Amino acid sequence: MTATPSPAASRGTEVRLTDLTRVYAGNVRALDGFTLHIAPGEFVALLGPSGCGKTTALRLLAGLEDADGGTIEVGGRDVTNVPTSKRDMGMVFQAYSLFPHMTARQNVEFGLQLRKQDKATRHGRAADMLDLVGLSKQADRYAHQMSGGQQQRVALARALAIEPQVLLLDEPLSALDAKVRSQLRDEIRRIQLEVGTTTLFVTHDQEEALAVADRVGVMNAGRLEQLASPAQLYKNPATPFVADFVGLTNRLHCRVAGGVAQVLGGAVPLLAGSAGDGLAIVLVRPEGVTIAPVGSGGSGGAGGAAATVVSASFLGASGKIVARLESSEGVGDLVSVQVDNTDVTAYAPGQRVLLAPRGDAALAVSAT
Amino acid sequence: MRPSGALVGVAPFFVYTTVFLLIPTIVVVVGAFADGSGRPTLDNVAALGGANSSFLPALQHSVVLSLVTALAGAVIGAVLAYAVSTARPDGLLKRFITSLCGVLAQFGGVALAFAFMATFSIQGFLTVWLNSLGLDTGSSIWLYQWDKGLMLVYLYFQIPLMLIVFLPAVEGIKPQWREATETLGGTTWTYWTKVAGPILLPSFIGATLLLFTNAFSAYATAAALISQASPIVPLQIAGTFTSEVILGQENVGKAMALAMVVVVALVMWVYAALDKRASRWLVR
Ligand SMILES: Nc1ncnc2c1ncn2[C@@H]1O[C@H](COP(=O)(O)OP(=O)(O)O)[C@@H](O)[C@H]1O
Ligand SMILES: [Mg+2]
């Protein structure tokens, strides 16, 4: 497994989590043979549904939980049994982690104070960090005098101030509102590229994971299903779980023959790992389906499957049409189609349309 | 001008404070400086400091008793509150303990005073039983002394009260603060001295002062346990209304009450000063 080296790779630390197991009371296997290798300076996002073990993996790396099995190596050193305070991890929690009786500056200086740095050094470093996160003017504010987004920036500055081996973020944006969330998300990425710290970012939001990370690890039931770049993950999902979890997909009944699925009156080439010949379900992305009004003669000429528009929505940069198939090809018979935002107005609920596959490669799974 | 709507809402509060706080205070203050027929005088106040007056020793006992039981109750109650906070939040144990403390903080003193007498007094069953075994239990006088038995009984309601008033502060402590301290390189010691300690201190001091005023003004427990002398101020005040020796001097009792008001006012002043410092970072 080779990682795309990030620009700051030379400064980062390598992390190897090998075969980690964590069993909670009641025999809950939060991690079950979890293996992840993060290259120096790399930004990896752990993505998965709630309860799949993301937080547990992060907390094991931080030393806040003990592993029941497996090893943790940071920078070539086995830290499996090293206490949290000696691991040099920068941690950003979901919310409310700032010390309420300290100002932003005092929070950022806290770790440096514990490292016995002198006052001038501490002040300088704290000022730099607050500047990095764009909060120089708020240095003397207490947590309750700042917005949620500002508090998270201070938490980030505090974590980075100690020049940690690894930066760990556990759903740091999930308590913020949508606009601040995407702003801060991009800023976290900018800052990470600037400081070059190896980073593990946990989230259940696929859009967030795909937007920030060099590579995304998709987790399911305590294991890593696939670790790949956002583009690879989207185009080449290794398992049905990944295909389903990453991006919206349409599930359509099809007939597979010779690595090609016949669906919506067209052919879809199949990805490696797909089901063999016979009946199957193919997972087609909304942008993998074309739509045309009946009688326009569009849709690649070869006809397509007849459907009725249920809704047409404008989503800013793009548009989404949802249509109900007249045949029983669809599993649950609604199909989402992504269209250009200028085309949304061409469709209205009740209108008859023809759907056809665009021909992008997709994954097919056994119909049973 | 029409009366503001906001005033209607707070009217019950003003009625309440007038009836239960303002009027009694005025009665006490006015009465403290009036003689039996209502003429102004300083005699009542002067009588408190008189040579054969037992008021000053009683005031000293009251202050020491309140201070000791407030400090001991606060420390023990705080430790218990921390222990309770680590129990499962929705657990039965926690609900049971907090309800029990609610009752004990209100009625614990009197009930325990009777239990003490039934157990340790000269006719108490423990004493009688030990005596029947030929063991001399000595005098059980300690039970009725303000700095022994009474102190012990006061702790019985001070500790539960501390637990109740301090528990919310302890539960406001976020687990992330400890974890952030650890990842930043801090130890358990660092956490308690630099994070949890300073965060809890204002609440702790506030609760301790509350315990002080609680003990200072407590009457029922002492009245249940002590019938011979009046070693503390609340018992002395009651004495001025029932005693035949100082008949016609009820207004001396009001002067004593005024002295109590002064002490409590001092405590409130300390509290307000502290609160002002902490409110820089406290969220309300
Ligand atoms: N302290 C704990 N005690 C018992 N079970 C836990 C504890 N922490 C997590 N779990 C369980 O472990 C599983 C994984 O949890 P977690 O790592 O928090 O998932 P995620 O962060 O992906 O939502 C869940 O089933 C959760 O209920
Ligand atoms: Mg989680």
Side-chain angles (χ1 to χ4, degrees):
Chain A
M1 218 168 2
T2 48
T4 345
S6 100
S10 55
R11 282 180 285 165
T13 311
E14 180 184 40
V15 174
R16 271 177 198 280
L17 306 177
T18 311
D19 209 17
L20 287 180
T21 300
R22 173 69 180 150
V23 185
Y24 285 114
N27 210 20
V28 180
R29 300 186 80 81
L31 288 183
D32 193 5
F34 177 82
T35 297
L36 173 67
H37 170 209
I38 311 178
E42 196 182 13
F43 192 132
V44 167
L46 271 187
L47 174 66
S50 171
C52 71
K54 307 179 296 288
T55 296
T56 306
L58 190 97
R59 291 173 61 84
L60 251 64
L61 177 50
L64 295 168
E65 302 271 354
D66 291 328
D68 292 314
T71 55
I72 302 165
E73 281 171 74
V74 175
R77 189 168 75 109
D78 185 338
V79 298
T80 315
N81 297 310
V82 172
T84 302
S85 58
K86 300 239 157 33
R87 282 199 197 182
D88 265 342
M89 296 284 158
M91 183 106 174
V92 177
F93 300 83
Q94 187 171 336
Y96 310 118
S97 74
L98 292 186
F99 304 127
H101 62 307
M102 297 182 192
T103 61
R105 186 203 317 277
Q106 290 167 333
N107 265 283
V108 177
E109 280 186 28
F110 189 74
L112 307 173
Q113 211 177 343
L114 296 181
R115 279 164 180 69
K116 308 265 183 291
Q117 295 192 0
D118 64 67
K119 208 168 176 176
T121 318
R122 265 166 25 209
H123 271 26
R125 177 92 183 140
D128 288 350
M129 287 298 115
L130 286 170
D131 191 41
L132 185 67
V133 299
L135 282 183
S136 300
K137 291 203 181 71
Q138 280 80 15
D140 293 314
R141 296 226 179 139
Y142 290 96
H144 76 104
Q145 296 167 321
M146 290 185 280
S147 70
Q150 290 175 331
Q151 291 183 30
Q152 290 303 77
R153 283 166 198 263
V154 177
L156 182 63
R158 181 177 69 180
L160 288 172
I162 61 169
E163 297 184 64
Q165 305 261 27
V166 186
L167 176 63
L168 306 172
L169 306 105
D170 190 357
E171 313 237 4
L173 308 172
S174 61
L176 308 174
D177 53 46
K179 191 160 175 237
V180 180
R181 199 183 309 161
S182 64
Q183 236 173 36
L184 192 49
R185 177 191 77 196
D186 297 343
E187 203 150 340
I188 287 175
R189 180 51 166 165
R190 169 189 63 82
I191 291 167
Q192 192 270 341
L193 286 173
E194 201 170 324
V195 297
T197 310
T198 307
T199 300
L200 186 60
F201 180 103
V202 160
T203 179
H204 65 267
D205 181 335
Q206 51 117 351
E207 190 194 329
E208 206 168 282
L210 298 179
V212 287
D214 292 319
R215 286 191 301 166
V216 177
V218 180
M219 277 186 80
N220 183 25
R223 305 181 66 98
L224 195 63
E225 290 254 332
Q226 185 176 8
L227 178 66
S229 71
Q232 282 297 315
L233 209 60
Y234 199 77
K235 284 208 209 94
N236 269 330
T239 66
F241 178 84
V242 174
D244 235 4
F245 195 77
V246 180
L248 188 74
T249 32
N250 295 300
R251 303 171 73 93
L252 301 169
H253 289 290
C254 68
R255 179 171 290 281
V256 175
V260 175
Q262 298 300 325
V263 67
L264 297 178
V268 171
L270 293 179
L271 290 169
S274 287
D277 290 0
L279 290 177
I281 291 171
V282 64
L283 309 172
V284 182
R285 304 248 181 243
E287 58 272 33
V289 180
T290 62
I291 184 169
V294 167
S296 73
S299 236
T308 309
V309 174
V310 173
S311 72
S313 22
F314 184 76
L315 300 176
S318 68
K320 185 173 92 171
I321 313 291
V322 177
R324 188 183 303 281
L325 286 172
E326 287 169 8
S327 69
S328 57
E329 251 181 313
V331 177
D333 60 42
L334 287 180
V335 177
S336 294
V337 184
Q338 185 179 317
V339 295
D340 286 348
N341 55 6
T342 48
D343 291 347
V344 176
T345 47
Y347 301 94
Q351 186 180 351
R352 294 196 66 222
V353 291
L354 284 176
L355 303 180
R358 196 181 288 281
D360 304 342
L363 193 74
V365 297
S366 147
T368 46
Chain B
M1 219 167 51
R2 280 189 320 124
S4 155
L7 278 177
V8 179
V10 294
F13 173 74
F14 284 125
V15 172
Y16 173 83
T17 46
T18 306
V19 171
F20 291 101
L21 202 67
L22 207 56
I23 293 177
T25 308
I26 290 171
V27 167
V28 161
V29 173
V30 170
F33 296 103
D35 66 12
S37 49
R39 276 188 296 273
T41 173
L42 288 174
D43 289 355
N44 301 325
V45 178
L48 298 184
N52 53 359
S53 159
S54 57
F55 173 76
L56 288 181
L59 183 63
Q60 191 203 346
H61 296 164
S62 269
V63 169
V64 173
L65 173 71
S66 307
L67 207 61
V68 171
T69 62
L71 286 174
V75 170
I76 299 169
V79 172
L80 290 179
Y82 176 73
V84 170
S85 76
T86 59
R88 284 228 327 277
D90 49 345
L92 198 62
L93 178 75
K94 184 179 236 165
R95 284 218 306 267
F96 174 73
I97 289 180
T98 45
S99 319
L100 180 70
C101 285
V103 175
L104 289 181
Q106 298 303 320
F107 307 111
V110 180
L112 190 71
F114 286 121
F116 257 48
M117 285 191 282
T119 312
F120 297 115
S121 71
I122 299 178
Q123 298 87 17
F125 74 83
L126 191 63
T127 315
V128 170
W129 181 66
L130 287 175
N131 286 347
S132 74
L133 293 177
L135 289 172
D136 183 12
T137 51
S139 159
S140 58
I141 279 290
W142 66 272
L143 185 56
Y144 308 105
Q145 283 170 345
W146 70 272
D147 58 349
K148 296 192 182 71
L150 199 56
M151 233 174 225
L152 209 57
V153 180
Y154 269 40
L155 277 180
Y156 197 72
F157 60 77
Q158 294 281 65
I159 294 171
L161 179 63
M162 181 65 181
L163 197 146
I164 296 172
V165 300
F166 196 55
L167 191 58
V170 178
E171 298 205 308
I173 293 284
K174 301 269 187 287
Q176 294 95 300
W177 296 339
R178 181 195 279 274
E179 294 177 348
T181 307
E182 283 178 27
T183 54
L184 291 168
T187 56
T188 301
W189 172 253
T190 324
Y191 170 68
W192 283 107
T193 53
K194 298 228 164 90
V195 179
I199 291 173
L200 288 174
L201 194 63
S203 309
F204 181 83
I205 294 176
T208 308
L209 294 176
L210 176 73
L211 258 60
F212 177 89
T213 55
N214 183 49
F216 193 66
S217 59
Y219 168 73
T221 306
L225 193 62
I226 298 175
S227 51
Q228 295 301 314
S230 298
I232 60 172
V233 179
L235 293 183
Q236 290 222 336
I237 295 176
T240 62
F241 298 118
T242 52
S243 163
E244 290 166 13
V245 184
I246 43 175
L247 192 66
Q249 288 203 24
E250 343 46 271
N251 282 358
V252 173
K254 288 182 186 142
M256 291 178 181
L258 180 61
M260 288 186 78
V261 170
V262 170
V263 171
V264 171
L266 275 173
V267 172
M268 296 313 290
W269 177 71
V270 171
Y271 177 77
L274 264 165
D275 192 58
K276 204 171 151 197
R277 274 201 56 198
S279 60
R280 274 185 306 146
W281 58 267
L282 276 180
V283 199
R284 272 174 243 263

